[in-house]
Amino acid sequence: MRKAIILQENSQNGEVLAYCPYCNEELEVSDLEMFFACPFCGGALEDNDDLQKFILSPSVRTWVSKSMKSISERNS
Ligand SMILES: [Zn+2]
């Protein structure tokens, strides 16, 4: 049985943090996009609205677009 990710939204800056429901380690989007699993304990995470919200959260999107840009710049 998969457990749902734990989300905590910072009400001051809107940043969304995610925690593993098994070991309470903080999770990064890059850990979740591919595997939907915790890299620390290997716990399988439920692919629910909260997880999608975390992956698509604004602070994360900025980070992703930045890293995508640097990748394409490196390759050109
Ligand atoms: Zn874990």
Side-chain angles (χ1 to χ4, degrees):
M1 182 75 180
R2 289 171 176 251
K3 284 195 185 182
I5 194 171
I6 299 165
L7 284 194
Q8 276 184 6
E9 191 162 350
N10 185 323
S11 57
Q12 302 203 320
N13 63 12
E15 188 181 10
V16 179
L17 299 178
Y19 297 91
C20 174
Y22 302 95
C23 66
N24 292 316
E25 289 284 351
E26 187 178 339
L27 301 171
E28 305 287 340
V29 168
S30 54
D31 299 327
L32 304 173
E33 279 180 323
M34 305 294 279
F35 305 113
F36 296 138
C38 172
F40 300 100
C41 70
L45 301 168
E46 188 181 0
D47 181 13
N48 63 7
D49 287 349
D50 277 352
L51 194 150
Q52 294 298 329
K53 179 185 171 190
F54 175 60
I55 289 177
L56 298 174
S57 62
S59 56
V60 170
R61 252 200 319 263
T62 306
W63 177 84
V64 169
S65 62
K66 267 189 209 151
S67 57
M68 293 301 282
K69 190 161 180 279
S70 65
I71 289 169
S72 59
E73 280 169 357
R74 248 202 314 266
N75 289 342
S76 62

